[in-house]
Amino acid sequence: MKKLFLLPALILAINVHAQTKTYSIAQAHSHNDYERSTPFYEAASLRFGSIEADIHLKDGVLYVAHDHKDIQAFRTFKEMYLLPVVRQFAVNNGKAYPDGSPMQLLVDIKTEGRSTLKALQELLIPYRQYFDRSVNPEAVKIVLSGNVPPAAEWNQYDPLFFFDGRPDSTYPASLKPRIAMVSVSFTNYSKWNGKGTLTPADLEKVKQVIDKAHAQGYPFRFWGAPSSKSCYYKLMDLGVDIIGTDKPTELYDVISNTAKTTVAGLPVHEIYTPTYASDATQVRSKNVILMIGDGTGLAQMFAGYTANKGALSLFKMKQLGLSKTQSIDNYHTDSAAGGSAMGTGVKTNNREIGMDKTYVSIPVLSETLAPKGIQSGVVVTEEITGATPASFYGHTTDRDSTRLLAQALTTSPLQLAVGGGKEDFDQDLGPQWQQQLAAKGVYVVDNLDNWNAQTKNRTLVILSNKAVGSMQQGRGDYLKRAVKKALQQLNASGKGFFLMVEGSRIDHGGHFNDLDYLVREMLDFDEAIGEALRFADQDKQTTVIVTADHETSGLALMDGDIATGQLRGHFATNDHTGIPVMVFAYGPNSQLFRGVYENNEIYAKMLQCFGIRK
């Protein structure tokens, strides 16, 4: 895999359970913000739409504190919130935020309402332009909560003040423009701690109070709800308009990345169910198909299973093992060391291909099999010089030596190579490279449709990078078609073959922290797995192994609905992890792949399938 970088986050939140609703950071609320290590500025740096400060009136001064005993001389409302707002406007050209996103201050009055509100209004007189939306559309909205005067008096107060209503109160139509939202304590309806999910009874009570506020035409907020990812997701699912948190960075991550951590409505494919006629038999395998889902852990597989509404061809395979993927020099391998472990039977350092830990070239599988008359091939959904395919034909100290790898491919014993990278070949090998190889009897094509799988010549199907782009970008059924053609061509020799098939871009989805991208690639890979299993049943002498070189992203599956194919996940990192990966096997000698073992042992097990002693 090439080095990838995180894509910018979007703000669309998709309800896993039913509806679709758009959320942005403008709907994020920093609860008890003054308790942050950097009050106001932490939430403002994340562009939170709502920031809360509790105020106390003492000796004519407004202090910020949760309780009276917590009042400190330097923690005044003016210093902690009023002047920071002024600074925001100064640095953002007359706006609270550079992009014009709104800001509100939720001012929770802790002391007697009328006197505290009078002191607040007097304090704001020199700064009115920053808070009066009637004269400045960019102004910060001040919303009053807590010990506010009775609702009957609200219209007597300065129109720059808005109010936080309550769902059990009835307000006259004349007050509706002054009510910014309706809020209530979450604990009035549930004691849920934010782990797992709400009980059905509590869920119904919570839904009723939200629906009641919406029926009255007010935005809704809970205070006191758990500050957890599960709770944020649930509140968004239920349509709560303002989501509160004691952990601003965590809520920011959830809201700004929800579009990339949710999956819904992906196309469902029919799976292949094997006959099991040849499964776990002990006859010699004539052919071995190794399928590597790059970056694919069990969570990635089950994400595909969920999106495909409870079905994967992969999960029809009965022989299961676990591969430990650590490289020589790192707890989490990269694709070069991971692929080389399977392609050579020797663990090595990250970035190395076809070399041992001392940087000495060692035979790769195609070089071991060729003298025995067994042909080898690779099919991938990225550049053919990527680290994983190169691990079965190349030797280099650095996986980024693509020119060296391109040259190695042209002279390797690999009978068949299918993947992208034509643009790189044109640049690295010169414009005549195809004609030069053709003169040596190598069959070279740059279009899948033009590939004649009946040829007996050594074949390079080197496509444009656009042809092996992502499923999101419309790659279509390239992998499935390429696998079918590869099996047809390699099987024609009658002497047996080894084929490595990589679902290369599952790893990209992990690096991008994009669940939709990842799952689309996983589903495409599963269709190719189905083709391999079908071939194995027809041939009865073919062993199919499905595994991964490593896990990418530490994917956690947070919520989902198998019946509808909807899913929500969370990514721990945009890098590889050291989590062991699954090994599934089918066909003759598939029982060899049971158990827990190092990834380089897969090489020896494949040779054992062929009846070759290492």
Side-chain angles (χ1 to χ4, degrees):
M1 299 299 309
K2 305 286 186 184
K3 185 65 178 177
L4 300 168
F5 299 93
L6 208 62
L7 296 180
L10 303 176
I11 61 171
L12 179 67
I14 303 173
N15 183 342
V16 166
H17 299 287
Q19 59 190 4
T20 299
K21 184 177 178 65
T22 300
Y23 279 87
S24 73
I25 301 303
Q27 291 162 275
H29 173 73
S30 181
H31 175 248
N32 289 348
D33 180 81
Y34 49 89
E35 295 182 344
R36 307 283 91 80
S37 58
T38 51
F40 181 81
Y41 290 108
E42 180 180 358
S45 69
L46 299 173
R47 302 188 185 183
F48 266 46
S50 182
I51 300 174
E52 178 179 344
D54 292 0
I55 61 172
H56 299 253
L57 180 62
K58 180 182 179 182
D59 300 330
V61 178
L62 292 174
Y63 293 94
V64 175
H66 191 272
D67 298 305
H68 187 271
K69 63 181 176 59
D70 300 321
I71 291 175
Q72 299 180 46
F74 62 90
R75 294 176 66 86
T76 67
F77 180 75
K78 179 178 180 180
E79 291 294 332
M80 293 182 68
Y81 289 93
L82 197 157
L83 294 181
V85 165
V86 173
R87 293 188 188 100
Q88 284 289 111
F89 278 79
V91 300
N92 294 318
N93 297 317
K95 300 177 182 179
Y97 292 124
D99 62 356
S101 297
M103 177 191 289
Q104 75 173 23
L105 284 181
L106 179 64
V107 180
D108 194 337
I109 299 174
K110 293 294 187 179
T111 45
E112 193 276 326
R114 294 184 180 89
S115 57
T116 305
L117 189 49
K118 180 181 178 182
L120 177 62
Q121 183 158 13
E122 291 175 354
L123 177 65
L124 292 175
I125 289 174
Y127 310 98
R128 185 182 184 90
Q129 61 179 310
Y130 302 104
F131 300 97
D132 187 352
R133 291 193 168 186
S134 67
V135 296
N136 179 10
E138 305 290 345
V140 171
K141 177 187 284 190
I142 293 185
V143 181
L144 303 176
S145 189
N147 293 331
V148 295
E153 301 178 16
W154 289 358
N155 277 330
Q156 301 173 17
Y157 289 93
D158 196 312
L160 66 80
F161 292 126
F162 295 82
F163 295 88
D164 182 19
R166 298 292 175 263
D168 55 355
S169 298
T170 302
Y171 302 103
S174 60
L175 276 184
K176 189 169 184 178
R178 301 292 296 275
I179 299 174
M181 59 188 171
V182 164
S183 303
V184 70
S185 173
F186 183 81
T187 58
N188 290 354
Y189 304 89
S190 176
K191 304 302 180 185
W192 182 44
N193 65 0
K195 298 175 182 178
T197 191
L198 291 157
T199 65
D202 284 1
L203 178 62
E204 187 58 33
K205 288 187 290 185
V206 167
K207 288 173 63 176
Q208 285 181 0
V209 69
I210 296 168
D211 292 344
K212 180 179 179 181
H214 288 166
Q216 295 171 340
Y218 300 120
F220 183 81
R221 174 185 74 104
F222 278 120
W223 75 77
S227 289
S228 73
K229 290 184 173 70
S230 294
C231 185
Y232 308 145
Y233 287 131
K234 179 58 66 177
L235 296 182
M236 289 191 289
D237 287 346
L238 294 171
V240 171
D241 303 282
I242 299 171
I243 312 295
T245 185
D246 293 322
K247 303 172 183 177
T249 303
E250 185 177 80
L251 178 58
Y252 174 86
D253 177 64
V254 166
I255 291 181
S256 36
N257 290 310
T258 296
K260 294 172 66 176
T261 55
T262 349
V263 166
L266 296 189
V268 174
H269 67 268
E270 291 186 13
I271 68 167
Y272 177 77
T273 300
T275 64
Y276 305 105
S278 65
D279 196 30
T281 58
Q282 296 183 11
V283 300
R284 187 181 72 85
S285 305
K286 182 180 178 182
N287 312 307
V288 172
I289 304 172
L290 174 63
M291 309 192 73
I292 299 174
D294 200 322
T296 306
L298 182 58
Q300 285 82 350
M301 293 173 176
F302 201 78
Y305 173 85
T306 302
N308 207 48
K309 298 185 178 179
L312 281 185
S313 297
L314 172 63
F315 284 178
K316 293 298 182 179
M317 302 171 75
K318 295 181 177 180
Q319 313 303 323
L320 308 180
L322 201 62
S323 168
K324 295 179 286 182
T325 62
Q326 282 65 42
S327 64
I328 287 292
D329 65 342
N330 209 300
Y331 185 71
H332 59 83
T333 187
D334 69 349
S335 293
S340 291
M342 291 181 277
T344 67
V346 176
K347 280 185 178 281
T348 191
N349 302 305
N350 281 1
R351 304 199 66 79
E352 283 190 78
I353 291 174
M355 291 184 165
D356 66 15
K357 64 181 181 181
T358 65
Y359 298 93
V360 174
S361 293
I362 52 179
V364 296
L365 191 56
S366 60
E367 295 166 342
T368 300
L369 296 178
K372 302 181 184 301
I374 300 174
Q375 296 184 349
S376 298
V378 296
V379 176
V380 300
T381 56
E382 64 162 357
E383 298 90 340
I384 198 65
T385 53
T388 303
S391 297
F392 293 87
Y393 67 78
H395 306 272
T396 178
T397 59
D398 188 350
R399 58 184 287 176
D400 286 341
S401 303
T402 54
R403 177 178 295 179
L404 177 64
L405 291 172
Q407 292 170 341
L409 177 61
T410 63
T411 59
S412 80
L414 206 66
Q415 180 69 13
L416 172 67
V418 186
K422 182 180 182 298
E423 295 85 350
D424 296 327
F425 274 65
D426 290 342
Q427 178 177 330
D428 293 341
L429 302 183
Q432 303 300 316
W433 69 273
Q434 290 176 271
Q435 293 89 328
Q436 292 166 358
L437 285 176
K440 297 177 182 179
V442 180
Y443 177 49
V444 184
V445 290
D446 57 12
N447 186 301
L448 202 64
D449 293 330
N450 295 340
W451 170 19
N452 179 8
Q454 294 181 345
T455 182
K456 294 182 180 180
N457 290 29
R458 184 164 182 263
T459 302
L460 300 181
V461 183
I462 311 299
L463 311 174
S464 165
N465 287 329
K466 293 179 180 179
V468 293
S470 70
M471 292 299 291
Q472 281 186 342
Q473 295 170 329
R475 186 175 73 235
D477 62 353
Y478 152 78
L479 183 60
K480 180 178 176 180
R481 291 171 58 209
V483 167
K484 291 175 71 173
K485 283 194 167 188
L487 291 172
Q488 177 187 351
Q489 179 168 332
L490 291 172
N491 192 48
S493 75
K495 297 180 181 180
F497 65 81
F498 166 77
L499 175 65
M500 191 283 290
V501 178
E502 185 191 29
S504 316
R505 295 182 180 272
I506 302 170
D507 179 71
H508 292 217
H511 283 298
F512 292 152
N513 284 183
D514 188 331
L515 191 61
D516 180 86
Y517 187 122
L518 183 158
V519 172
R520 288 177 188 271
E521 297 295 330
M522 182 65 224
L523 294 177
D524 180 59
F525 186 51
D526 188 65
E527 289 204 70
I529 292 170
E531 288 302 317
L533 294 176
R534 182 178 286 107
F535 177 88
D537 273 347
Q538 294 167 352
D539 178 74
K540 296 183 174 59
Q541 300 178 81
T542 298
T543 304
V544 180
I545 306 118
V546 183
T547 187
D549 49 356
H550 53 75
E551 195 275 345
T552 300
S553 78
L555 175 62
L557 304 182
M558 304 288 291
D559 196 4
D561 187 336
I562 293 173
T564 61
Q566 296 171 319
L567 177 69
R568 174 176 285 139
H570 175 75
F571 297 94
T573 178
N574 66 347
D575 203 351
H576 303 169
T577 72
I579 300 171
V581 297
M582 295 296 300
V583 183
F584 291 78
Y586 178 75
N589 304 296
S590 56
Q591 70 277 6
L592 295 174
F593 297 88
R594 299 172 188 162
V596 181
Y597 41 83
E598 299 293 339
N599 56 356
N600 60 311
E601 294 183 44
I602 293 173
Y603 175 89
K605 293 176 186 292
M606 290 190 295
L607 290 183
Q608 192 173 346
C609 289
F610 282 119
I612 301 172
R613 291 185 178 273
K614 183 179 177 182

